[in-house]
Amino acid sequence: MIEFLNVSKVFPGKTSSIHALNNVSFHIKPNVIHGIIGLSGAGKSTLIRIINQLERHDQGEVSVFGYNDVKRLNKESTRMLRRKIGMIFQSFNLLESKTVKENILFPLRATRTIHEKDHLLALKLIEDVGLKGYENQYPSQLSGGQKQRVGIARALINDPKILLCDEPTSALDPLTTKSILSLIKTIKSERNLTVVIVTHDMHVIKEICDEVTVMHYGAAVEVGRVDDILFQPKHVVTKELVHLIGFNVEDIASQFKDLPNLTVLKFPKPLTNEKILSDIMQSFDVSFNILFANISPNTEGLMLVSMEGNDIALAKQALIEKGVVMINDRL
Ligand SMILES: Nc1ncnc2c1ncn2[C@@H]1O[C@H](COP(=O)(O)OP(=O)(O)OP(=O)(O)O)[C@@H](O)[C@H]1O
Ligand SMILES: [Mg+2]
């Protein structure tokens, strides 16, 4: 869906040039939420702005929707590309003098005349993002979370296939962040979107991303499934970012490495884990020693356990049948 191949970008600086991207290669699968994480100045924004050609790369190729290199598209094709890619920003980028509905219609007005059906679509989007009744309000009358909801509705007006999010929750409090991330997740599923989300916060990655790329000084230093990266971060920066959210199962597991059958369990629904464990304890006469749990409402639960008993193999099989994923080979 989106592929970066040896992509580099240099900005001219006052004294020396800035290598914002350095030979970046990785791809983003369709219909996933792919996080781009890294410290300030790592090149995250430059990277996603290349996807819709708000920024042009100097070297390498970027394929989007099967176009081999988006840099080589002519003006009209670039316009078409941008229409299929929605974008939201940390600072919302709303027009203060325009109402919620007019902000949402703005990308259409910029290209053509607005019809009645466009007004209806805008109202439907306002409802979808949870702002019914707010259509005639102005941005100054809205909270940060509400402004980002307008940003999301505006990004959807052209029915895009890709949604780019540049630090969409960095200006929001933790609870509002959760609600916006949950909205992005819902919209992604309902519309079959591919979402690329830039953040410096591993909480955001853990909360909604399927896959993640870690950027450091313009390089993509680690790419993989979020579970893998959380459980076994390899690069020093990834380790630091994971450590910052107090999540280092490797460290925790190493304290217990002498215990038998050390296993990480990932539960499909956090609120069912106790029932699953107690059922299996009874059926197979095994005991679970829970050493660490990282479980919160509305996210998948992770648990480090040591198992003892005679029928461990059968108990593991039963766990898998209940939808529990075992991540034991990574410790
Ligand atoms: N238009 C520009 N002109 C000159 N330098 C730029 C420009 N845009 C970005 N840079 C530089 O390129 C590097 C990467 O910037 P970028 O904005 O992509 O980083 P980032 O990871 O998004 O950082 P942040 O987390 O602070 O948003 C930085 O050193 C930045 O100063
Ligand atoms: Mg940035």
Side-chain angles (χ1 to χ4, degrees):
M1 167 62 99
I2 302 170
E3 181 156 17
F4 295 90
L5 191 64
N6 302 324
V7 174
S8 297
K9 170 78 187 173
V10 179
F11 289 109
K14 274 189 195 131
T15 48
S16 61
S17 48
I18 299 156
H19 291 256
L21 295 176
N22 232 324
N23 218 19
V24 172
S25 297
F26 71 98
H27 71 276
I28 297 174
K29 295 178 190 139
N31 306 123
V32 301
I33 305 187
H34 192 111
I36 312 278
I37 192 166
L39 306 176
S40 190
K44 308 180 295 294
S45 296
T46 306
L47 188 72
I48 65 162
R49 288 164 61 82
I50 283 177
I51 297 172
N52 60 356
Q53 285 294 286
L54 289 180
E55 210 71 77
R56 283 167 71 82
H57 45 295
D58 299 323
Q59 278 168 26
E61 287 187 3
V62 180
S63 321
V64 185
F65 302 125
Y67 295 119
N68 251 353
D69 189 9
V70 286
K71 197 172 78 177
R72 286 195 235 121
L73 294 176
N74 63 25
K75 260 190 178 164
E76 180 52 26
S77 302
T78 304
R79 244 201 313 272
M80 297 285 284
L81 175 85
R82 288 190 183 143
R83 212 171 292 161
K84 285 197 272 176
I85 304 177
M87 189 160 186
I88 60 172
F89 308 87
Q90 173 177 357
S91 49
F92 321 120
N93 292 9
L94 301 180
L95 297 163
E96 293 295 325
S97 62
K98 298 207 179 291
T99 63
V100 165
K101 181 144 78 79
E102 280 304 317
N103 265 284
I104 294 168
L105 285 170
F106 187 75
L108 293 185
R109 276 207 200 281
T111 58
R112 62 169 171 81
T113 323
I114 299 297
H115 307 287
E116 180 57 22
K117 71 172 180 21
D118 299 319
H119 285 281
L120 294 175
L121 174 62
L123 289 174
K124 165 83 171 62
L125 287 172
I126 288 169
E127 202 175 330
D128 287 352
V129 299
L131 288 181
K132 194 171 179 196
Y134 285 81
E135 46 272 20
N136 297 320
Q137 304 275 64
Y138 287 86
S140 61
Q141 298 172 292
L142 304 177
S143 69
Q146 289 169 332
K147 285 183 195 173
Q148 194 56 290
R149 284 169 190 269
V150 179
I152 292 171
R154 180 185 54 190
L156 297 176
I157 192 81
N158 276 316
D159 195 21
K161 296 283 161 266
I162 296 174
L163 179 64
L164 305 178
C165 314
D166 195 351
E167 305 261 5
T169 57
S170 297
L172 306 174
D173 65 69
L175 272 184
T176 312
T177 291
K178 254 184 184 296
S179 72
I180 292 295
L181 293 179
S182 148
L183 176 64
I184 292 173
K185 201 170 181 171
T186 308
I187 281 168
K188 179 253 169 191
S189 307
E190 286 173 358
R191 297 170 170 260
N192 260 335
L193 292 176
T194 301
V195 177
V196 187
I197 182 161
V198 162
T199 181
H200 57 263
D201 184 355
M202 198 54 95
H203 284 116
V204 172
I205 301 289
K206 177 172 171 284
E207 188 86 14
I208 62 161
C209 293
D210 306 298
E211 309 215 321
V212 58
T213 296
V214 183
M215 297 290 301
H216 192 48
Y217 287 118
V221 293
E222 204 163 340
V223 187
R225 288 175 50 236
V226 171
D227 282 344
D228 292 339
I229 299 248
L230 284 177
F231 279 106
Q232 208 168 46
K234 293 189 180 73
H235 193 274
V236 60
V237 172
T238 321
K239 286 184 181 167
E240 225 162 85
L241 290 164
V242 171
H243 198 72
L244 276 176
I245 63 165
F247 192 98
N248 196 336
V249 173
E250 235 193 349
D251 274 0
I252 298 163
S254 69
Q255 298 166 31
F256 300 108
K257 63 180 183 308
D258 297 332
L259 293 180
N261 298 300
L262 204 57
T263 304
V264 175
L265 305 177
K266 186 169 114 181
F267 290 87
K269 288 191 198 120
L271 300 177
T272 59
N273 49 42
E274 274 182 39
K275 173 99 176 71
I276 290 178
L277 285 189
S278 64
D279 285 354
I280 287 177
M281 272 158 106
Q282 281 171 10
S283 309
F284 298 96
D285 194 24
V286 294
S287 65
F288 292 93
N289 185 5
I290 299 173
L291 306 165
F292 172 83
N294 190 302
I295 293 171
S296 56
N298 307 321
T299 58
E300 288 174 319
L302 297 163
M303 203 183 264
L304 174 68
V305 298
S306 159
M307 295 166 72
E308 282 188 85
N310 291 326
D311 278 337
I312 299 285
L314 284 176
K316 283 186 174 178
Q317 188 56 38
L319 281 168
I320 292 167
E321 278 164 17
K322 300 237 180 213
V324 178
V325 179
M326 314 202 86
I327 318 188
N328 40 345
D329 55 335
R330 305 214 175 103
L331 300 176

